[in-house]
Amino acid sequence: MTRECSVLLPRVCAALADPRQPGSDDTCLEKLLDWFRLLAKFDPSVELLQNNPCLAEFITAVLALPEPSPSILSFTLRLAGILAALENRFQHLQQEQLLVRLFGRDGPLNSMLWKDASVRSGWVHGVHSMMHHQPALHLLCHTGGLDVIFSLQGDPSLFVASAANQLLVDMLILSVETEMTKPASTKDCDWPACAQMIIKHIEDSLQSSSASHIEQSLKLLTSLFGSCRAPWTEVLWLGVAKQIESFLMEETVQAQHMLANLLLKMAWSPVFCDSEGSFWTLVASALEHLTPVQAGPLAVGLLKLYKCPQDVRIQALTVLLQPMDCILRAASQPLEYAGLLDESVGDPITVEGLLSSKSSCASLLCQTLAHLEELLSQSRFQVDLPCASLLHSLMTILQLCNGLLSPASALGSTIGRVLINCFRVQSSALDVLAALSDRKGCDTLIESLFDVLLAYLDSPNTSPTVLKKAFQATSKWLVRLQELSCSNTQRQQAEKILEDVFLVLQKRLCSPCWEVRDSSLEFLTDLIKCLRDQEEFRQSLLSSEVPRLTENLLEDPESYVRASAVTAMGHLAFITYFAPESPVLGNQYNKENTVAKLQEILSTDPEGFPRRAVISIFTEWLSQGCTGPLEDTGQFVSRVIQTVEHDLDWEVRLGGLELIQDFCHQTFCQLGLPECPDDPVSSAVTGSIHGSESLRIFCRAKLFRFLFRSLCDCDKTLGQRACHILLNLSNNFYPLGTPKDLDKTVDLPAGCSIAWLERTLRQGSLAQNFPTDGVDFEDPESMMLALGTIDLLQLYDELNKSSDHVEKSPQSLLQDILATVGTMEENEADCY
């Protein structure tokens, strides 16, 4: 604690304990508690209390108040807990019985203020903070505190109830790990007193007839097994296992939905996952007896667990795929398709009933599809899924949703009526379809799949949201299609599908709905990114009307569409203009025409989105080496920067800095200069040859004025990025270890103007006028001097400080609290 804070703290404590003062702002009190947490953490001794007796005096003063405000009492409880987290500070506070008076029976527990949720929350958090040693544990156990925590598990405030539950978990762990005299044993386990009380409470609650008590204990066990992996947890579990197993068999018990989460937490614990026998038997029983909605999360969690036994894994996969299997069987002709599963885990009638009901069908399918997407997206541990059958099932769902399929069975017809135009299921199914494109074994169905996808892309009934998902899935499967096109037949099939896709895309680019036009352009951009090297794709694209329609959309009335059109045109240029052998006639004219159009958008578009898209595309072109020789690139960058530096949108200006960063990197690479020299001697020799050339290029491109101006930008992100670029340039021209020899340069004509520039830069965003005269930003000598004399490292440190670093200081916080009190005193004086 600083000397200034130690002087202010007694006045703050006195003000907070004074009932005549207005209640301090809750945010200030939270910040004050955060400060005390840091103090307690970095000063783990009793000296914090000894050197600041005002803290104990404050607690005493609050306890003496007949009716303290709830917020001050809550603050006091939490503060006492933070201070008492260390055993020696705990004993110091107990010398005057402060902790007993705060947390015991005669404290706030028996006052009217206990009705206030903030007081109960302060009590729980205060107890939790000090629960790091045995004396704190004994204090709670001997003063009836455990009974209070048990009652708070059912508190009407969910925050208090959750905190009480977690407190019991941590108290149980602390009791067992600090007071257990010998390892826990299933035959003879002598639990410590506090742990015994908590365990008995859990057992009694599980055997009670109260659903809320059962749920509270299940939550407690779930938290315990999720956070503690000690062997003694198995001993505790064996004492309650029979009771929990009975919940699976009793349909009247309403806590079944919590069992899946409990068993999953246990399965991930090495204490249980490595065990044999009873635990995995219980998991298998849960998969069988829980409803499909309850068992789904358990099944997907088990499938992601590497150590899950094979028989349980098969059962979990069966549970997860059961709804998909039911759909497939119900929609197929008799004996046409065998389905996904050989046999069911539970009763298939239950799944059929849920899928036949309008209220439950979509929810069950969406949950199942979300779980399947989660499994398919896993890269570390791939789950072996029947991909071909799964794809068939997904296609069936999508066909049922848009009415393309007429099932023969009564069940299939019912499900079809329920699913028709169900956007939620369509979106979820398309997500899984996209994820499935990376898996092998689906090749035989690919033609049928594109029939379904093209039907969605073409249908006027497809909503914009579903259409976007259909575009994403189509893009993924088109990439897969190109990978499979080896034989002539496959290539012809791929060409036909591409032609059909571009015909639909032409239609969608002319849609009256702007969301559809926007999604269509995003789809086109994705395709170009993935397939621009494929000759069949390039020919199909350029022989369609898509490029012309895309260019037309640069003038769309909707700014989002214009931005997407800019991005699409930018990537289209990689095929039309920048490809080694461009197939477009009049290549150079078209390229200049496109660049001119994009520069016009950058200069004149009233909305920020299209302008951001232009600067992003220009940076992409430059990074891909598509802007020509170094001299042409310098002129291109110069034109762009002169436009960007006056843009009112900070993201456009930031894009300009990224363009400069890439340009500098490319310049150094082409001139054979390392961007960050490691060897100062060799780099100094190289720099004497090429350094001045690169500096001349940067000056001709007029980069430095924008870079230095950005240091004073009101958006700090720009200042940070500009300073980073300038630091890199400085390190390049003055490698580490080489003398700058700049003492002589003070007398140079440019010296005064550079000093003026540095003074301006130190003002940051407060600078009223950025130098326009005196500093020649296009003069290599002046810029070399600026890079060598201006302390860019110090500027970088200043820019990386938060804007409120002064206001965030503890001293400022204490002053703010006292200022509130001072205002009140002045108002009192005025009244009299």
Side-chain angles (χ1 to χ4, degrees):
M1 186 185 299
T2 62
R3 189 181 63 81
E4 292 81 5
C5 288
S6 63
V7 171
L8 290 168
L9 187 58
R11 293 171 56 199
V12 169
C13 288
L16 292 176
D18 190 345
R20 297 172 303 163
Q21 303 295 353
S24 192
D25 179 68
D26 285 347
T27 307
C28 284
L29 295 179
E30 282 294 332
K31 288 180 180 178
L32 200 52
L33 286 171
D34 289 339
W35 179 50
F36 281 119
R37 284 190 192 95
L38 282 175
L39 286 175
K41 180 180 178 182
F42 291 111
D43 183 12
S45 70
V46 75
E47 289 181 2
L48 179 62
L49 290 171
Q50 290 173 341
N51 296 338
N52 299 282
C54 59
L55 293 171
E57 290 166 6
F58 165 72
I59 296 172
T60 305
V62 172
L63 283 168
L65 295 174
E67 286 188 25
S69 74
S71 64
I72 291 297
L73 181 54
S74 177
F75 169 79
T76 307
L77 289 161
R78 295 169 73 182
L79 173 62
I82 292 167
L83 296 173
L86 201 70
E87 190 170 345
N88 56 11
R89 289 199 295 257
F90 177 94
Q91 302 296 0
H92 183 88
L93 292 171
Q94 271 301 75
Q95 289 173 6
E96 297 180 35
Q97 298 294 299
L98 293 181
L99 297 173
V100 173
R101 292 163 63 191
L102 273 172
F103 299 106
R105 293 188 185 91
D106 298 327
L109 292 171
N110 286 327
S111 72
M112 294 296 291
L113 289 170
W114 190 251
K115 293 180 180 178
D116 193 295
S118 67
V119 174
R120 300 195 301 278
S121 176
W123 189 92
V124 173
H125 284 100
V127 171
H128 208 160
S129 294
M130 69 178 177
M131 205 51 61
H132 292 284
H133 44 78
Q134 286 188 27
L137 203 60
H138 296 158
L139 173 72
L140 262 289
C141 291
H142 297 153
T143 57
L146 266 179
D147 292 330
V148 178
I149 303 171
F150 293 152
S151 67
L152 289 176
Q153 277 187 290
D155 197 272
S157 165
L158 293 177
F159 295 105
V160 174
S162 176
N165 191 68
Q166 189 57 48
L167 173 57
L168 283 173
V169 170
D170 292 343
M171 287 179 71
L172 177 56
I173 294 171
L174 178 66
S175 175
V176 173
E177 294 184 352
T178 61
E179 299 182 313
M180 202 85 162
T181 55
K182 58 181 181 179
S185 166
T186 53
K187 293 179 181 178
D188 178 26
C189 187
D190 186 16
W191 297 111
C194 181
Q196 196 167 8
M197 293 168 69
I198 296 172
I199 291 168
K200 186 177 185 306
H201 168 72
I202 293 170
E203 292 172 347
D204 291 346
S205 297
L206 290 173
Q207 291 169 7
S208 74
S209 57
S210 167
S212 61
H213 287 174
I214 293 171
E215 287 193 9
Q216 288 162 19
S217 284
L218 288 174
K219 282 181 183 176
L220 196 156
L221 289 171
T222 302
S223 297
L224 174 65
F225 294 135
S227 59
C228 182
R229 308 292 170 84
W232 60 264
T233 53
E234 185 177 18
V235 180
L236 188 154
W237 165 251
L238 292 173
V240 297
K242 289 292 182 188
Q243 185 62 40
I244 289 177
E245 188 175 358
S246 70
F247 294 154
L248 290 172
M249 312 303 171
E250 299 173 23
E251 294 184 3
T252 54
V253 177
Q254 297 179 358
Q256 283 187 336
H257 65 284
M258 301 182 65
L259 293 177
N261 197 24
L262 170 62
L263 293 173
L264 195 53
K265 291 288 184 186
M266 293 174 68
W268 281 86
S269 168
V271 175
F272 300 101
C273 76
D274 292 334
S275 65
E276 296 179 3
S278 60
F279 171 69
W280 289 112
T281 304
L282 180 61
V283 171
S285 178
L287 288 170
E288 184 178 349
H289 288 97
L290 292 176
T291 68
V293 175
Q294 293 167 351
L298 175 60
V300 74
L302 292 170
L303 287 167
K304 290 161 69 177
L305 180 62
Y306 178 72
K307 291 188 176 181
C308 180
Q310 185 64 17
D311 57 334
V312 178
R313 177 181 298 281
I314 292 169
Q315 192 175 356
L317 184 59
T318 303
V319 166
L320 192 60
L321 293 176
Q322 214 164 350
M324 308 296 288
D325 178 70
C326 182
I327 291 275
L328 202 49
R329 291 178 187 275
S332 302
Q333 299 292 334
L335 304 177
E336 177 194 355
Y337 196 77
L340 274 154
L341 307 173
D342 297 326
E343 58 181 35
S344 296
V345 173
D347 184 2
I349 301 298
T350 306
V351 177
E352 290 174 6
L354 289 169
L355 291 175
S356 301
S357 167
K358 195 158 192 172
S359 60
S360 58
C361 179
S363 299
L364 176 59
L365 278 179
C366 286
Q367 176 183 286
T368 302
L369 291 164
H371 289 154
L372 286 168
E373 186 190 5
E374 189 180 341
L375 291 177
L376 286 164
S377 302
Q378 277 203 157
S379 55
R380 287 183 61 190
F381 175 55
Q382 286 199 347
V383 177
D384 190 18
L385 295 167
C387 294
S389 303
L390 183 56
L391 178 57
H392 197 145
S393 182
L394 289 167
M395 288 160 53
T396 302
I397 290 172
L398 289 168
Q399 287 173 309
L400 287 171
C401 285
N402 70 354
L404 290 175
L405 194 64
S406 301
S409 69
L411 176 62
S413 299
T414 304
I415 296 173
R417 285 194 297 273
V418 171
L419 287 180
I420 193 75
N421 292 327
C422 184
F423 300 150
R424 285 173 56 207
V425 174
Q426 288 174 331
S427 295
S428 298
L430 287 164
D431 283 338
V432 181
L433 201 62
L436 199 58
S437 62
D438 295 328
R439 295 294 185 98
K440 295 178 180 177
C442 304
D443 307 349
T444 55
L445 294 169
I446 203 160
E447 192 170 359
S448 304
L449 167 63
F450 274 103
D451 288 340
V452 174
L453 286 172
L454 284 165
Y456 267 82
L457 297 180
D458 194 42
S459 172
N461 296 324
T462 304
S463 73
T465 305
V466 173
L467 181 67
K468 189 182 182 78
K469 299 277 189 185
F471 274 137
Q472 290 167 351
T474 304
S475 175
K476 292 246 184 184
W477 279 99
L478 280 172
V479 173
R480 178 80 179 138
L481 179 66
Q482 295 300 315
E483 293 170 358
L484 297 172
S485 301
C486 300
S487 65
N488 285 333
T489 307
Q490 288 173 324
R491 278 196 289 273
Q492 288 171 1
Q493 180 191 35
E495 287 173 16
K496 176 67 172 66
I497 289 172
L498 280 169
E499 286 175 15
D500 292 342
V501 166
F502 285 126
L503 282 173
V504 173
L505 185 57
Q506 287 172 191
K507 173 183 169 183
R508 290 300 191 179
L509 287 169
C510 301
S511 170
C513 175
W514 75 264
E515 290 100 330
V516 171
R517 299 196 301 277
D518 191 52
S519 295
S520 303
L521 290 164
E522 288 176 355
F523 170 61
L524 174 61
T525 302
D526 285 342
L527 286 184
I528 295 171
K529 284 179 180 178
C530 298
L531 299 173
R532 75 185 195 197
D533 295 331
Q534 302 291 327
E535 180 62 28
E536 295 84 0
F537 169 77
R538 292 198 300 268
Q539 288 181 355
S540 296
L541 171 60
L542 297 174
S543 61
S544 70
E545 290 291 305
V546 168
R548 182 184 62 80
L549 294 171
T550 302
E551 188 172 354
N552 292 345
L553 291 175
L554 291 172
E555 300 174 6
D556 195 274
E558 178 54 54
S559 64
Y560 289 110
V561 178
R562 294 200 300 278
S564 295
V566 165
T567 305
M569 282 298 295
H571 284 276
L572 196 59
F574 288 117
I575 294 175
T576 53
Y577 315 133
F578 302 139
E581 295 180 4
S582 175
V584 178
L585 296 174
N587 181 31
Q588 188 59 35
Y589 168 76
N590 286 332
K591 176 184 173 182
E592 291 171 0
N593 190 36
T594 300
V595 172
K597 280 189 177 181
L598 295 186
Q599 285 186 325
E600 183 183 0
I601 291 170
L602 185 62
S603 307
T604 62
D605 198 293
E607 298 288 338
F609 296 110
R611 301 200 306 275
R612 291 176 202 168
V614 172
I615 193 67
S616 178
I617 280 298
F618 283 168
T619 305
E620 178 88 3
W621 286 357
L622 189 141
S623 66
Q624 298 280 334
C626 300
T627 48
L630 197 54
E631 187 176 346
D632 293 350
T633 300
Q635 292 174 2
F636 169 73
V637 170
S638 179
R639 287 195 301 271
V640 173
I641 292 306
Q642 287 178 71
T643 303
V644 163
E645 68 176 328
H646 302 294
D647 201 292
L648 297 178
D649 189 311
W650 74 270
E651 290 192 51
V652 175
R653 299 198 301 279
L654 181 62
L657 291 173
E658 289 169 355
L659 182 75
I660 287 176
Q661 192 168 11
D662 278 7
F663 175 56
C664 292
H665 173 73
Q666 286 217 350
T667 301
F668 287 134
C669 288
Q670 290 191 35
L671 292 177
L673 282 166
E675 200 168 356
C676 291
D678 295 320
D679 180 2
V681 177
S682 63
S683 61
V685 175
T686 310
S688 64
I689 302 169
H690 295 297
S692 55
E693 174 61 22
S694 59
L695 190 59
R696 278 195 295 273
I697 291 170
F698 297 150
C699 287
R700 279 200 302 270
K702 302 178 182 178
L703 308 185
F704 286 107
R705 177 182 173 80
F706 180 42
L707 285 170
F708 282 112
R709 178 192 283 273
S710 296
L711 294 176
C712 299
D713 200 291
C714 55
D715 285 289
K716 287 185 65 176
T717 307
L718 274 82
Q720 291 164 343
R721 179 61 67 90
C723 199
H724 180 73
I725 295 168
L726 287 166
L727 271 169
N728 280 344
L729 291 174
S730 177
N731 291 337
N732 222 290
F733 297 126
Y734 298 104
L736 188 64
T738 57
K740 294 186 179 180
D741 195 25
L742 294 166
D743 294 335
K744 302 172 185 176
T745 62
V746 179
D747 298 328
L748 292 174
C752 294
S753 59
I754 297 302
W756 178 31
L757 172 63
E758 184 167 18
R759 286 196 298 274
T760 304
L761 295 177
R762 294 201 181 286
Q763 298 174 44
S765 59
L766 299 176
Q768 295 295 315
N769 295 304
F770 189 77
T772 51
D773 300 319
V775 182
D776 188 351
F777 292 101
E778 296 175 34
D779 174 42
E781 186 180 5
S782 296
M783 290 303 97
M784 191 73 174
L785 180 61
L787 290 172
T789 55
I790 295 173
D791 193 342
L792 292 167
L793 274 174
Q794 186 181 353
L795 280 172
Y796 192 71
D797 290 341
E798 288 294 322
L799 286 163
N800 278 287
K801 287 180 182 175
S802 62
S803 56
D804 59 346
H805 67 277
V806 176
E807 290 76 7
K808 272 187 174 179
S809 68
Q811 183 181 341
S812 175
L813 175 62
L814 297 174
Q815 289 169 340
D816 285 347
I817 295 171
L818 289 174
T820 307
V821 177
T823 304
M824 181 262 184
E825 289 173 352
E826 287 170 12
N827 291 342
E828 278 189 339
D830 290 342
C831 291
Y832 289 109

